[in-house]
Amino acid sequence: MTNFMFKMLEKEGVPTHLVEEISDRETIVKKVSIVPLEVIIRNVAAGSFSKRMGVEEGKQLLCPILEFSYKNDDLGDPFINDYYALALGIATQEEIDTIAKYAFKVNEFMVKFFKGLNIDLIDFKIEFGKTADGTIILADEISPDTCRFWDSTTHEKLDKDRFRRDMGGVEEAYQEIMKRLMGE
Ligand code: UDP
């Protein structure tokens, strides 16, 4: 699913780690060092945002939110802003600007694309990497593990929340997303 998305995003002008898919289970990717930021975009209130801000899940936001967490399991990936990233040397201003530009581009494309599959893109997390020459590219993955996908008609959750919230039907939901992606 990630390779499918990354191929389309490349065409939209977002550079990615994708080199070549060589089998169902193996993909050649560019070597990067991951920028230790979880880059989150939210279109609709859900999850930790709803809890933190006391906003009901499902409320449409007036504009997309870009949010950063510092990738550090021991600290529980704490919420940070640009100033934290700069002050701690996590990223430079130029890198943050590039990451923000690509993240909004990814969102703009994905919202439209998934709408065409009758799916609302609620929010998602992406990660960026730096190649040896310092170029920032999209890395890691885009999948129901890292996005909230709700069916536009029924609002049924078709993502990892089915697992996180013990709702059952996890595999079916992921297969449903894949089926719609493949146009079946
Ligand atoms: N997310 C992720 N990995 C994480 C945390 C969040 O892929 O470690 C994704 C999650 O699937 C959702 C978005 O980022 O699409 C926003 O998640 P949120 O901050 O609401 O955290 P959650 O409520 O999932 O803990």
Side-chain angles (χ1 to χ4, degrees), residues 38-42 46-52 57 67 69 77 122-127 141 143-149 159-161 164-165:
E38 297 208 330
V39 180
I40 292 171
I41 295 249
R42 302 179 187 278
S48 68
F49 175 84
S50 285
K51 274 197 203 113
R52 191 168 54 240
E57 278 213 321
E67 173 183 312
S69 291
D77 299 338
I122 306 304
D123 57 28
F124 61 91
K125 183 266 306 178
I126 48 179
E127 295 182 20
E141 67 171 313
S143 77
D145 269 3
T146 59
C147 303
R148 285 195 169 95
F149 293 128
D159 57 58
K160 196 175 179 180
D161 274 349
R164 293 190 191 105
R165 301 180 186 190

Side-chain angles (χ1 to χ4, degrees), residues 69-129:
S69 291
Y70 175 42
K71 260 174 77 70
N72 183 315
D73 283 338
D74 293 339
L75 301 174
D77 299 338
F79 186 82
I80 63 166
N81 66 18
D82 298 27
Y83 293 100
Y84 279 55
L86 289 173
L88 295 171
I90 294 168
T92 65
Q93 188 63 58
E94 199 186 347
E95 287 165 353
I96 292 172
D97 292 344
T98 304
I99 285 171
K101 180 182 77 180
Y102 289 153
F104 281 119
K105 219 169 187 182
V106 168
N107 186 49
E108 204 177 310
F109 173 75
M110 293 224 300
V111 164
K112 270 198 216 118
F113 176 76
F114 281 101
K115 198 69 204 161
L117 305 177
N118 204 43
I119 293 167
D120 290 337
L121 177 64
I122 306 304
D123 57 28
F124 61 91
K125 183 266 306 178
I126 48 179
E127 295 182 20
F128 290 87

Side-chain angles (χ1 to χ4, degrees), residues 41-44 60-66 104 107-108 111:
I41 295 249
R42 302 179 187 278
N43 298 300
V44 173
Q60 178 71 44
L61 300 168
L62 299 176
C63 62
I65 294 174
L66 170 69
F104 281 119
N107 186 49
E108 204 177 310
V111 164

Side-chain angles (χ1 to χ4, degrees), residues 14-62:
V14 178
T16 77
H17 70 189
L18 181 61
V19 177
E20 192 191 355
E21 183 172 301
I22 52 173
S23 78
D24 277 356
R25 289 181 174 272
E26 295 158 296
T27 295
I28 298 172
V29 298
K30 287 181 188 150
K31 184 172 179 167
V32 295
S33 57
I34 289 288
V35 179
L37 289 174
E38 297 208 330
V39 180
I40 292 171
I41 295 249
R42 302 179 187 278
N43 298 300
V44 173
S48 68
F49 175 84
S50 285
K51 274 197 203 113
R52 191 168 54 240
M53 299 306 296
V55 177
E56 193 187 345
E57 278 213 321
K59 187 176 163 55
Q60 178 71 44
L61 300 168
L62 299 176

